[in-house]
Amino acid sequence: MSLVQISDSTPKPLETGRRYWRSLEELAGTPQFRRWVEREFPRGASELLSSSSRRTLLKLMAASFGLAGLVACRRPQEKILPLSKGVEHYIPGKPLYYATAMNLAGSVTGLVVEAHDGRPTKIEGNPRHPESLGACSAFAQASVLSLYDPDRSRVVLRQGRPSSWEEFARFAADHFRAEVLGRGSGLWLVAGSQPSPSYEAVRNHLLGRFPEARWVEFEPISREAMRRGAELAFDRRLETLYDFGKARLIVAFDADFLGVDSPGVRAIREFSRGRAVVSETDSMSRLYVAESRFSITGAMADHRFRIRSSEMANAVEALASALGLMPAHSGNFPWAAAVARDLAAHRGASLVLAGPGQPPEVHALVHLINEALGNFGHTVSFVAAERAPGEASFEELAAALASGRVQTLVVLDSNPVFAAPADFDFAANFSRAATTIHLGLEADETGSAATWHLPQAHYLESWGDLRTLDGTVSIQQPLIYPLYDGRTPAELLALLSGYKDQRAYDIVRNYWTARWPAQEAERRWRRALHDGLIEGTGAARLVPAVDRRRVLAAWRPRPAAGGIELVFYASPSVWDGRFANNGWLQEAPEPMTKLTWDNAALISPATAKKLGVTSGDVVLIEHEGRSAEAPVWILPGQTDDSIAVALGYGRTVCGRVGRRVGHNVYPLRTSRTAGFAVGVNVRPAGRRYRLVSAQDHHAMEGRPLVREATLRYWREHPDFAQHAVHVPELKSLYPEHQYTEGYQWGMAIDLNRCVGCNACILACQAENNIPIVGKREVARGREMHWLRVDRYFTGDEEAPEAVFQPVACMHCEKAPCENVCPVVATVHSPEGLNEMAYNRCVGTRYCSNNCPYKVRRFNFLDWHKGLEESQKLVFNPDVTVRMRGVMEKCTFCVQRIEEKRIQAKAEGRRPLRDGEILTACQQTCPAEAIVFGNINDPASRVALIKKQNRNYVMLEELNVRPRTSYLARIRNPNPELV
Amino acid sequence: MSKLYGVLAEFDSPEELVEAVRAVRARGFTRLEACTPFPVHGLDEALGLARSPLGWIALAAAAVGVAAALLLQWWTGAVDYPLVVGGKPFFALWPSVPVTFELAVLLASFAVVIGMLALNGLPRLYHPLFEDDNFRRVTDDRFVLAVEAADPLFHANETPALLVRLGALEVRLLEEKA
Amino acid sequence: MASIFSKSTDTYIRIGVLAAALGAGAAIALGFYLANPQVRETGYAPLQPVEYSHKLHAGDLGMDCRYCHSSVEQAAYAAIPATEVCMNCHVRVKGDSPLLQLVRESYATGQPIPWVKVHSLPDYVYFNHQAHVAAGVGCVSCHGRVDQMIVVKQVEPLSMAWCLDCHRNPAPKIRPADQVTNMAWQPDRDPVEIGRQIVESKGIAPPVNCSGCHR
Amino acid sequence: MADLAIREPFELNAPLIEGRRSYSEITSDVARVVESRPPRFWYIALAVSGALTLVFFAVLTHLVRTGIGIWGNNQPVGWAWDITNFVFWIGIGHAGTLISAILFLFRQRWRTSINRAAEAMTIFAVMCAGIFPLLHTGRPWRAYWLFPVPNQDLVLWQNFRSPLMWDVFAVSTYFTVSLLFWYVGMIPDLATLRDRATTRLRQIVYGVLSLGWRGSARHWNHYEKAYLILAGLSTPLVLSVHSIVSFDFAVSILPGWHATIFPPYFVAGAIFSGFAMVIFLMIIARKVYRLEHLITMTHMDNMCKILLATGTIVGYAYAVEFFTAFFSGNPYERYVFVNRVTGPYAWAVWTMFACNVFAPQLFWFKMFRRNIAVMFAVSIIVNVGMWFERFNIIVTSLHRDFLPSSWGHFTPTIYDVLTFAGSVGLFLTLFLLFLRFLPVIAISEVKGVVPSPGQGKGGH
């Protein structure tokens, strides 16, 4: 991709203490940029027709002679735009890496972002950061695409008409005065959860100026129920922290802690370390999951109990009573006793948790159980959670709005008009406030309804700081100057409140340097920027005592409610709707259903039979007089009479990608049924709707693709994985090609660690410029993901087990694809890579037909057609952007291999170190399931792993000698329960 | 100014033509041309034509084809730019068979067709015989024997008479344009 | 009636066939000549917005390539220098020359100078200056005697075939590290011999597989 | 006149040419077709097929401009109708050379009335076929990389291990040799047309095309030798072509493709479909141009027998395929065949069985072998069936291979349909033009098999 060209056109730094790029802002305006853009993507003939280039042509003819000259004229003239002034650390074409942090609904992940010539192109986890440990989630990986989203709001809107920050500043100066707002009794502010010290300082300054103003934190998907539960148990507002690494035994009640219930990645990393086994003698943790929706956590479970969310309380109660914490229980939970015994045997090393969808008293009871099991201080700990001064609940805001007591409503980085609980009819009352101000990345449902809409700066454009649950603070530094003149929430509050610092950079820098000794300040600041976190931050861990009386007093036994329940959950693609316009996420298959570009009402086969519907039938769901429609998708393993629907779809005021994608079920979700609603009425709407799944077939057909065993079986048959299939003695007609020299690249994927979180898919997409194709083309089976995660169901249809298997090009030593390519477009490198030369490919698709793993992807159409300039900036310049008509596939991130190799050459031709080269998928994998390296070096990690007895090769009997092998999945069921 | 080409005798069955040819050659005539609408078996022996050498030409061409094909596949695959393809050898005989065979057949076929035309002196759009109006029927239902004037035994009166005796339907002298 | 074709027809036909054959041969030969990268690509020498003479700077004044193209040893690109670099000298030297008007403007306004790219490779080719300089390939090997060019001109085809010649047999193009930027290097010994020794000592083995250059 | 009949091993006692025909009658019978104004039917047919041809080129233009995506192909079904059509047409293209070459070597004289048309059909079918491998590529403007021409930029060559390369050579060789064979065979007849020509234009055109042929014994001597050698070369060639086409599949590792019986199985199928197409075209030609006495019931009858034989061989091949799949014990192989008869494309497989195996069985009965209506129907049914055979081999094998996770489904788009229909149009257009301007029957050869007026001297 000739975007590498931009390398020579890096703009000059901003004149602040800290220097950083503002390339687009600077270039976009200039004619040079426009011209560069035209040269960059030449319009063929038009090149010669424009008078200016005809002059060029004459010049060229003068400058060159004869045929050479004539021919040379056909070359479109490319411009090189060098800097005017140099920039420290910056070498054109060399990527730079900056530490920053991302906030998703209050969960913070520390990141390291790769910038090519001023363009952030790739997000990685920050190894120093406790919530990342080097990994990052699919959301983080995809967030870079949102940065360049051309549908982001670009201008200040007043009553929907273009305005300017200047105009707004004049308005604010005039409006946010004591004379107008008085003590602020009519002023309400709603904000998404943003745990940020400096931001809170500005906020508090504003609330200080207007003491009667009310502050509301609104997150459609929040941990509020957990905080309330803690309040109930400890009579204090606390955040609960889990250490899954220390837990040898985990019992999860409706808690998808590997999935959407903890959007960070620490949980996965800790959990998967607990599952890591090298030899059959090792011990591994055990996971019990009781849940209604079949989640990826459920897929990892050693025992999974299908229980409706509305009965989860009874299940917890049953466990509590089995542990002797409550009077004996009548409910029918046969496993409770055995689980209780198991827990009792793991005092201090076990962990019981409930999902954020469960009511406070359930969380309180869970705290009681954990305390009784001696888990406090080991696997469970707490930190204080402060409230903002004058913090009010969303309910109060809704009431105030309804009664017209809200004059001025400021909405920061939040979309309540779309996502507010249905019982508040917030959308209707929103306009009752005289002045509404919305700051957001897009002019969404709320923005378009507000008096003022202000473009917000993307986090990659923003200065700030972010605090994780455990109190660690990271500095958020921008990678690029705001593309569309956006501002951060802190900047807006500073503007409204006349805070001493007005610019995000000053706000955060001065906030921290003021807290440090002057002579230390600069060093510590630079250190914080470099490390991505501030030393010495981190809240004190508390181990309070549970007020057992309160907990039990608050507990009232629930009769098992009849009817069908409706469970709401955050979409692993669009979360609460905020990523709706992110194509990468929309196209990423939902881990369990493999659905793309949609949400659906997930129901069990039995329930489907009962309702007389099948996948694709639209059903009308009614509850308390509210109703919404959604297409049905039959998901084996769903709990009967329980419907799960992902939130966040069906956005109406949204960019081109996400508008009207999927079905909006917020209209069914009230403040009391945030987690689930019981007794909903479901009936077929008599319509069908095309749902598109990236995987049409869900059984392994008895083929030994994913190999698994119980821990016990493994101990009895250590080599079960190799003997799953008989491989006859294979002889070759020809002398075999030997791969014994130098580096020989290979990969091992541990199926016992992979949790199917999709992070690798998104990482691969970002690293390798993989296009999205849209729902229609996915339906035709033309998705382009180089790396896919296959999900198979095993066992009985109602209560199956699920396994995940990441599949990318296996780089077979005897690659069947290579033999059949007529033009040697795909051949083998001396280091065992199955190379794909796009520029040689004529596109016969024979290779794909002959690939037993079907990992090759063909550009059936020009997927990059009509990209806007800003979208082209996300491309990784080290990877060719493939044109229509050529085949492509996983390259083992050859660009990363070559980068390190060249670096090693430059450093005196030193050998490459093991682990020096990380593939994109490996680097981001929260579960550390993927290991890549030189199998020719017996000491390398990958070579050692391939020696393990769980190691096997998929379709080994074909004798294609893949370089990627798998480690068999091990389950660790409780002997008492099998 | 035109000179005599020879004498033309028309027959209406292949058998009579063959008979006539035998008879004429028995009398020692050598410069004969016998034209028929379809291949008449026995006629070439009667005329004493040699066996066509086309078989050898085809064989030689096929051999060239085989050599060329093997050389091409070996040189491009193993010498000019050896690439590891599916771990296979740079050159092996079995995978080379199809191309080799096809190329052999291709060259042989061309050789045969071109050889046939060359041996027959075709294309030759003009020939004295075409000057004769009735000669056209030779591609329809007539069997023609021409004795060229260039033949030492040729006699402007004797020869036609002879042909008439041999059962020719019609006998004409043919003038050739200069 | 007479024959359809006159006697001469055959002569005409034979001549025609011969001519056609020769014509076709000539056309093919010409096609190959035009398609030859050496012919097609070399000689490109666009005029630059600033009349910068490499002959003057690199040749007569003997400046080292790396003074301006400073990133050549650390990056894939031998970047065009920032205006700043020009001004390092030209604040004093010829500070008021009209030829440098654009340079001074650029320095003042921060607007880049729109240089025209001369040596341009396809988007799918990943040439890396750092690697080649580290190996000891002289600038002159690909760029020619830039120190003698007033207007920079492409002298090599920069085609894949041309790259491979050297990747298959690097010795003739390899020189001691300190001679890389020396345009006029004339060793007393046989340069190929020197190259061979360096290739052995450094263990230089240029890739000839696809992903060496295409990713 | 039975004593004058040429006795054939194939059809025991029936004259090849009905009624006693003199040489000139035969000549004018055939020449008439070219010399007289074509019947109305010809114009109607040409209009229809011509229109389809235009559609064909329109679709192909759209294809090259937009991409393979306009078809239904996908992952895992990388090949679908495109290659199905290719194999279909190549198959059709087999009867011609077979009749001319193999039957010639076997001295099957009854071939003389049909070989010319059959060869023409071959050439047109191969032309249709050749278009697909070129235009099914994602970047057809790079398709020249499939030919070993020196490339000065990349110095890259081809991969001669790839069956697709073998195809390139096989198909182009087959086309060239068939063309030569056809043309050489026509030279004497072109001379006949030249000599009968009444207009100057025709005289010149046929004059040039016939290269000055004058039927001299010397000509015939070399000519017959050449024809014999070409026949000898074409015989292994025609067998090799479809064998190599079958390698495209047999050499891969895909269950349902990776089968050793493919070469004979494909060749039999090709002859089968080829003869079906010849019957189809001959029935039309003889009717429209009243050539029933030259293309006699005997010919039709013999072709029906070949249809019966090859159809039965094909049926046997199907059976063997299933047997080997089950006998192999290879679960993937087994699944493919279970899936063929029970899976989403089962309807296509059963269509194939019905059309290819059962329909031809009618020809065990003489009444059907002599019933034009039945022949016509069967010839069409068989071609439908053979198209489905290729569809089944390609699509049903591809859509469910090793990993169930990547199983998929293929649904054709309107462009798939138009492309195929268009290729049929092109084929018919070319054939109609052939009927109009070239000798549809090998005049000189037919004369060779009718009794000579030279009585008693007993043939030749």
Side-chain angles (χ1 to χ4, degrees), chain B residues 80-81 83 121-127 130-133 136 176-178, chain C residues 1-10 13-14 160 164 168 208-210:
Chain B
D80 188 45
Y81 202 155
L83 287 160
L122 299 176
R124 180 179 176 188
L125 300 190
Y126 174 82
H127 189 279
F130 291 136
E131 298 284 353
D132 180 75
D133 287 354
R136 276 187 266 160
E176 174 183 11
K177 285 214 184 59
Chain C
M1 66 164 271
S3 149
I4 302 168
F5 300 97
S6 73
K7 210 168 180 175
S8 48
T9 324
D10 288 313
I13 286 182
R14 281 170 177 71
M160 176 167 158
L164 279 168
R168 285 172 173 150
V208 291
N209 59 301
C210 311

Short mmCIF file of all heavy atoms in Angstrom, two decimals, chain B residues 80-81 83 121-127 130-133 136 176-178, chain C residues 1-10 13-14 160 164 168 208-210:
data_model
loop_
_atom_site.label_atom_id
_atom_site.label_comp_id
_atom_site.label_asym_id
_atom_site.label_seq_id
_atom_site.Cartn_x
_atom_site.Cartn_y
_atom_site.Cartn_z
N ASP B 80 16.39 -22.10 -13.84
CA ASP B 80 16.27 -20.64 -13.93
C ASP B 80 15.77 -20.04 -12.63
O ASP B 80 16.30 -19.03 -12.16
CB ASP B 80 15.33 -20.26 -15.08
CG ASP B 80 15.35 -18.76 -15.32
OD1 ASP B 80 16.46 -18.20 -15.34
OD2 ASP B 80 14.28 -18.15 -15.46
N TYR B 81 14.74 -20.58 -12.02
CA TYR B 81 14.23 -20.05 -10.75
C TYR B 81 13.63 -21.19 -9.94
O TYR B 81 12.43 -21.39 -9.94
CB TYR B 81 13.17 -18.96 -11.00
CG TYR B 81 12.97 -18.01 -9.84
CD1 TYR B 81 12.48 -16.73 -10.03
CD2 TYR B 81 13.27 -18.39 -8.53
CE1 TYR B 81 12.30 -15.84 -8.97
CE2 TYR B 81 13.09 -17.52 -7.46
CZ TYR B 81 12.60 -16.25 -7.69
OH TYR B 81 12.42 -15.38 -6.64
N LEU B 83 11.92 -23.02 -7.18
CA LEU B 83 11.09 -22.63 -6.03
C LEU B 83 10.55 -23.89 -5.38
O LEU B 83 10.17 -24.83 -6.06
CB LEU B 83 9.93 -21.75 -6.51
CG LEU B 83 10.29 -20.32 -6.92
CD1 LEU B 83 9.20 -19.71 -7.79
CD2 LEU B 83 10.52 -19.45 -5.70
N GLY B 121 2.95 -29.51 -53.03
CA GLY B 121 3.16 -28.23 -53.70
C GLY B 121 1.96 -27.31 -53.56
O GLY B 121 1.66 -26.50 -54.42
N LEU B 122 1.26 -27.44 -52.45
CA LEU B 122 0.14 -26.54 -52.19
C LEU B 122 0.57 -25.51 -51.16
O LEU B 122 1.48 -25.77 -50.37
CB LEU B 122 -1.07 -27.34 -51.67
CG LEU B 122 -1.62 -28.39 -52.63
CD1 LEU B 122 -2.74 -29.18 -51.98
CD2 LEU B 122 -2.12 -27.71 -53.90
N PRO B 123 -0.03 -24.35 -51.04
CA PRO B 123 -1.07 -23.90 -51.96
C PRO B 123 -0.54 -23.53 -53.34
O PRO B 123 0.51 -22.93 -53.45
CB PRO B 123 -1.63 -22.66 -51.25
CG PRO B 123 -0.54 -22.18 -50.39
CD PRO B 123 0.26 -23.38 -49.99
N ARG B 124 -1.29 -23.97 -54.33
CA ARG B 124 -0.97 -23.57 -55.71
C ARG B 124 -2.29 -23.32 -56.41
O ARG B 124 -2.95 -24.24 -56.87
CB ARG B 124 -0.19 -24.67 -56.41
CG ARG B 124 0.17 -24.30 -57.83
CD ARG B 124 0.97 -25.37 -58.50
NE ARG B 124 1.20 -24.99 -59.91
CZ ARG B 124 1.75 -25.83 -60.80
NH1 ARG B 124 2.10 -27.05 -60.42
NH2 ARG B 124 1.93 -25.44 -62.04
N LEU B 125 -2.68 -22.04 -56.41
CA LEU B 125 -4.04 -21.71 -56.88
C LEU B 125 -4.15 -21.84 -58.39
O LEU B 125 -5.24 -22.05 -58.92
CB LEU B 125 -4.42 -20.29 -56.43
CG LEU B 125 -4.40 -20.10 -54.91
CD1 LEU B 125 -5.02 -18.76 -54.55
CD2 LEU B 125 -5.15 -21.21 -54.21
N TYR B 126 -3.04 -21.71 -59.10
CA TYR B 126 -3.11 -21.84 -60.57
C TYR B 126 -2.47 -23.14 -61.01
O TYR B 126 -1.42 -23.54 -60.50
CB TYR B 126 -2.40 -20.69 -61.26
CG TYR B 126 -2.33 -20.90 -62.75
CD1 TYR B 126 -3.43 -20.57 -63.54
CD2 TYR B 126 -1.22 -21.48 -63.35
CE1 TYR B 126 -3.41 -20.80 -64.90
CE2 TYR B 126 -1.18 -21.71 -64.71
CZ TYR B 126 -2.28 -21.37 -65.48
OH TYR B 126 -2.26 -21.62 -66.83
N HIS B 127 -3.14 -23.82 -61.91
CA HIS B 127 -2.54 -24.99 -62.55
C HIS B 127 -3.11 -25.09 -63.95
O HIS B 127 -4.30 -24.80 -64.17
CB HIS B 127 -2.85 -26.26 -61.75
CG HIS B 127 -2.08 -27.45 -62.22
ND1 HIS B 127 -2.46 -28.17 -63.31
CD2 HIS B 127 -0.95 -28.02 -61.76
CE1 HIS B 127 -1.59 -29.15 -63.49
NE2 HIS B 127 -0.65 -29.07 -62.57
N PHE B 130 -6.55 -26.27 -64.63
CA PHE B 130 -7.72 -25.43 -64.35
C PHE B 130 -8.18 -24.68 -65.59
O PHE B 130 -9.28 -24.14 -65.62
CB PHE B 130 -7.41 -24.44 -63.22
CG PHE B 130 -7.24 -25.10 -61.89
CD1 PHE B 130 -6.21 -24.75 -61.03
CD2 PHE B 130 -8.13 -26.10 -61.50
CE1 PHE B 130 -6.07 -25.36 -59.82
CE2 PHE B 130 -7.98 -26.71 -60.26
CZ PHE B 130 -6.94 -26.34 -59.43
N GLU B 131 -7.32 -24.63 -66.59
CA GLU B 131 -7.70 -23.91 -67.81
C GLU B 131 -8.82 -24.66 -68.52
O GLU B 131 -9.61 -24.08 -69.25
CB GLU B 131 -6.50 -23.78 -68.75
CG GLU B 131 -5.34 -22.98 -68.16
CD GLU B 131 -5.62 -21.49 -68.17
OE1 GLU B 131 -6.66 -21.11 -68.76
OE2 GLU B 131 -4.85 -20.74 -67.58
N ASP B 132 -8.88 -25.96 -68.29
CA ASP B 132 -9.90 -26.75 -68.99
C ASP B 132 -11.24 -26.60 -68.31
O ASP B 132 -11.36 -26.80 -67.09
CB ASP B 132 -9.47 -28.22 -68.96
CG ASP B 132 -10.49 -29.08 -69.67
OD1 ASP B 132 -10.53 -29.05 -70.90
OD2 ASP B 132 -11.29 -29.72 -68.95
N ASP B 133 -12.25 -26.21 -69.07
CA ASP B 133 -13.55 -25.95 -68.47
C ASP B 133 -14.12 -27.17 -67.80
O ASP B 133 -14.61 -27.15 -66.69
CB ASP B 133 -14.53 -25.45 -69.55
CG ASP B 133 -14.17 -24.04 -69.95
OD1 ASP B 133 -13.25 -23.52 -69.28
OD2 ASP B 133 -14.74 -23.51 -70.90
N ARG B 136 -13.43 -29.04 -64.05
CA ARG B 136 -14.10 -28.80 -62.77
C ARG B 136 -14.82 -30.05 -62.29
O ARG B 136 -14.94 -30.31 -61.11
CB ARG B 136 -15.12 -27.67 -62.93
CG ARG B 136 -14.49 -26.30 -62.79
CD ARG B 136 -15.54 -25.25 -62.77
NE ARG B 136 -15.76 -24.72 -64.10
CZ ARG B 136 -16.86 -24.08 -64.46
NH1 ARG B 136 -17.85 -23.96 -63.61
NH2 ARG B 136 -16.99 -23.59 -65.67
N GLU B 176 -1.87 -24.31 -72.75
CA GLU B 176 -1.48 -23.66 -71.49
C GLU B 176 -1.08 -22.22 -71.79
O GLU B 176 -0.35 -21.97 -72.73
CB GLU B 176 -0.29 -24.39 -70.86
CG GLU B 176 0.28 -23.70 -69.64
CD GLU B 176 1.48 -24.46 -69.14
OE1 GLU B 176 1.96 -25.38 -69.85
OE2 GLU B 176 1.93 -24.15 -68.05
N LYS B 177 -1.63 -21.27 -71.00
CA LYS B 177 -1.27 -19.86 -71.22
C LYS B 177 0.21 -19.66 -70.89
O LYS B 177 0.74 -20.27 -69.97
CB LYS B 177 -2.11 -18.97 -70.31
CG LYS B 177 -3.55 -18.83 -70.78
CD LYS B 177 -4.08 -17.43 -70.44
CE LYS B 177 -5.54 -17.32 -70.83
NZ LYS B 177 -6.37 -18.34 -70.11
N ALA B 178 0.86 -18.84 -71.62
CA ALA B 178 2.28 -18.58 -71.38
C ALA B 178 2.46 -17.81 -70.09
O ALA B 178 1.59 -17.02 -69.76
CB ALA B 178 2.86 -17.81 -72.55
N MET C 1 -14.57 -21.57 -69.92
CA MET C 1 -14.02 -20.40 -69.22
C MET C 1 -12.66 -20.76 -68.62
O MET C 1 -12.34 -21.92 -68.41
CB MET C 1 -14.96 -19.95 -68.13
CG MET C 1 -15.13 -20.95 -66.99
SD MET C 1 -15.86 -20.19 -65.56
CE MET C 1 -14.39 -19.62 -64.74
N ALA C 2 -11.93 -19.72 -68.23
CA ALA C 2 -10.54 -19.93 -67.81
C ALA C 2 -10.44 -20.19 -66.32
O ALA C 2 -11.43 -20.12 -65.59
CB ALA C 2 -9.71 -18.71 -68.19
N SER C 3 -9.22 -20.45 -65.89
CA SER C 3 -8.97 -20.72 -64.47
C SER C 3 -9.34 -19.52 -63.61
O SER C 3 -9.28 -18.38 -64.06
CB SER C 3 -7.47 -21.05 -64.28
OG SER C 3 -7.07 -20.61 -63.01
N ILE C 4 -9.72 -19.78 -62.37
CA ILE C 4 -10.16 -18.71 -61.46
C ILE C 4 -9.01 -17.75 -61.18
O ILE C 4 -9.17 -16.54 -61.19
CB ILE C 4 -10.66 -19.31 -60.13
CG1 ILE C 4 -11.80 -20.29 -60.40
CG2 ILE C 4 -11.08 -18.22 -59.16
CD1 ILE C 4 -12.17 -21.14 -59.21
N PHE C 5 -7.87 -18.33 -61.00
CA PHE C 5 -6.73 -17.50 -60.62
C PHE C 5 -5.72 -17.47 -61.77
O PHE C 5 -5.48 -18.49 -62.41
CB PHE C 5 -6.05 -18.07 -59.38
CG PHE C 5 -6.98 -18.12 -58.20
CD1 PHE C 5 -7.65 -19.29 -57.88
CD2 PHE C 5 -7.22 -17.00 -57.43
CE1 PHE C 5 -8.52 -19.35 -56.81
CE2 PHE C 5 -8.08 -17.04 -56.36
CZ PHE C 5 -8.74 -18.22 -56.04
N SER C 6 -5.15 -16.30 -61.96
CA SER C 6 -4.14 -16.18 -63.01
C SER C 6 -2.83 -16.78 -62.50
O SER C 6 -2.66 -16.99 -61.29
CB SER C 6 -3.93 -14.72 -63.36
OG SER C 6 -3.22 -14.12 -62.29
N LYS C 7 -1.92 -16.98 -63.38
CA LYS C 7 -0.68 -17.66 -63.06
C LYS C 7 0.09 -16.94 -61.95
O LYS C 7 0.70 -17.52 -61.07
CB LYS C 7 0.20 -17.77 -64.32
CG LYS C 7 1.09 -18.98 -64.34
CD LYS C 7 1.69 -19.18 -65.72
CE LYS C 7 2.58 -20.40 -65.74
NZ LYS C 7 3.10 -20.67 -67.10
N SER C 8 -0.04 -15.59 -62.02
CA SER C 8 0.80 -14.80 -61.09
C SER C 8 0.29 -14.89 -59.64
O SER C 8 1.03 -14.64 -58.70
CB SER C 8 0.77 -13.33 -61.53
OG SER C 8 -0.58 -12.97 -61.76
N THR C 9 -0.98 -15.27 -59.47
CA THR C 9 -1.55 -15.26 -58.12
C THR C 9 -0.62 -15.94 -57.12
O THR C 9 -0.33 -15.41 -56.05
CB THR C 9 -2.90 -16.00 -58.10
OG1 THR C 9 -3.57 -15.73 -59.31
CG2 THR C 9 -3.71 -15.58 -56.91
N ASP C 10 -0.16 -17.12 -57.49
CA ASP C 10 0.66 -17.89 -56.55
C ASP C 10 1.88 -17.10 -56.10
O ASP C 10 2.21 -17.08 -54.92
CB ASP C 10 1.08 -19.21 -57.19
CG ASP C 10 -0.11 -20.15 -57.30
OD1 ASP C 10 -0.83 -20.29 -56.30
OD2 ASP C 10 -0.34 -20.70 -58.39
N ILE C 13 0.78 -14.60 -53.58
CA ILE C 13 0.47 -15.26 -52.31
C ILE C 13 1.74 -15.58 -51.55
O ILE C 13 1.92 -15.22 -50.39
CB ILE C 13 -0.38 -16.53 -52.54
CG1 ILE C 13 -1.80 -16.12 -52.92
CG2 ILE C 13 -0.38 -17.40 -51.31
CD1 ILE C 13 -2.73 -17.28 -53.13
N ARG C 14 2.69 -16.16 -52.25
CA ARG C 14 3.93 -16.54 -51.55
C ARG C 14 4.61 -15.31 -50.95
O ARG C 14 4.98 -15.29 -49.78
CB ARG C 14 4.86 -17.28 -52.51
CG ARG C 14 4.46 -18.75 -52.70
CD ARG C 14 5.24 -19.43 -53.82
NE ARG C 14 4.89 -20.84 -53.92
CZ ARG C 14 3.71 -21.28 -54.37
NH1 ARG C 14 2.80 -20.41 -54.75
NH2 ARG C 14 3.44 -22.58 -54.42
N MET C 160 12.10 -6.61 -10.93
CA MET C 160 12.35 -7.78 -10.09
C MET C 160 13.54 -8.57 -10.64
O MET C 160 14.42 -9.00 -9.89
CB MET C 160 11.11 -8.67 -10.06
CG MET C 160 11.30 -9.96 -9.31
SD MET C 160 9.70 -10.73 -9.01
CE MET C 160 10.20 -12.42 -8.75
N LEU C 164 16.92 -9.48 -8.59
CA LEU C 164 17.33 -10.87 -8.37
C LEU C 164 18.78 -11.10 -8.80
O LEU C 164 19.52 -11.86 -8.18
CB LEU C 164 16.40 -11.82 -9.12
CG LEU C 164 15.09 -12.11 -8.39
CD1 LEU C 164 14.11 -12.80 -9.31
CD2 LEU C 164 15.33 -12.96 -7.15
N ARG C 168 21.03 -12.98 -6.15
CA ARG C 168 21.56 -14.31 -6.40
C ARG C 168 23.08 -14.30 -6.34
O ARG C 168 23.71 -15.30 -6.00
CB ARG C 168 21.09 -14.81 -7.76
CG ARG C 168 19.65 -15.25 -7.74
CD ARG C 168 19.13 -15.55 -9.13
NE ARG C 168 17.79 -16.12 -9.07
CZ ARG C 168 16.89 -15.97 -10.03
NH1 ARG C 168 17.19 -15.27 -11.11
NH2 ARG C 168 15.69 -16.50 -9.91
N VAL C 208 15.81 -14.90 -1.87
CA VAL C 208 15.28 -14.97 -3.24
C VAL C 208 13.88 -15.55 -3.21
O VAL C 208 13.33 -15.92 -4.23
CB VAL C 208 16.18 -15.81 -4.18
CG1 VAL C 208 17.49 -15.10 -4.44
CG2 VAL C 208 16.41 -17.18 -3.58
N ASN C 209 13.30 -15.63 -2.00
CA ASN C 209 11.92 -16.12 -1.90
C ASN C 209 10.97 -14.92 -1.84
O ASN C 209 11.37 -13.80 -1.51
CB ASN C 209 11.77 -17.00 -0.66
CG ASN C 209 12.10 -16.25 0.61
OD1 ASN C 209 13.20 -15.76 0.76
ND2 ASN C 209 11.13 -16.12 1.50
N CYS C 210 9.70 -15.19 -2.13
CA CYS C 210 8.73 -14.10 -2.32
C CYS C 210 8.68 -13.13 -1.15
O CYS C 210 8.79 -11.92 -1.31
CB CYS C 210 7.33 -14.68 -2.51
SG CYS C 210 7.27 -15.98 -3.73
#
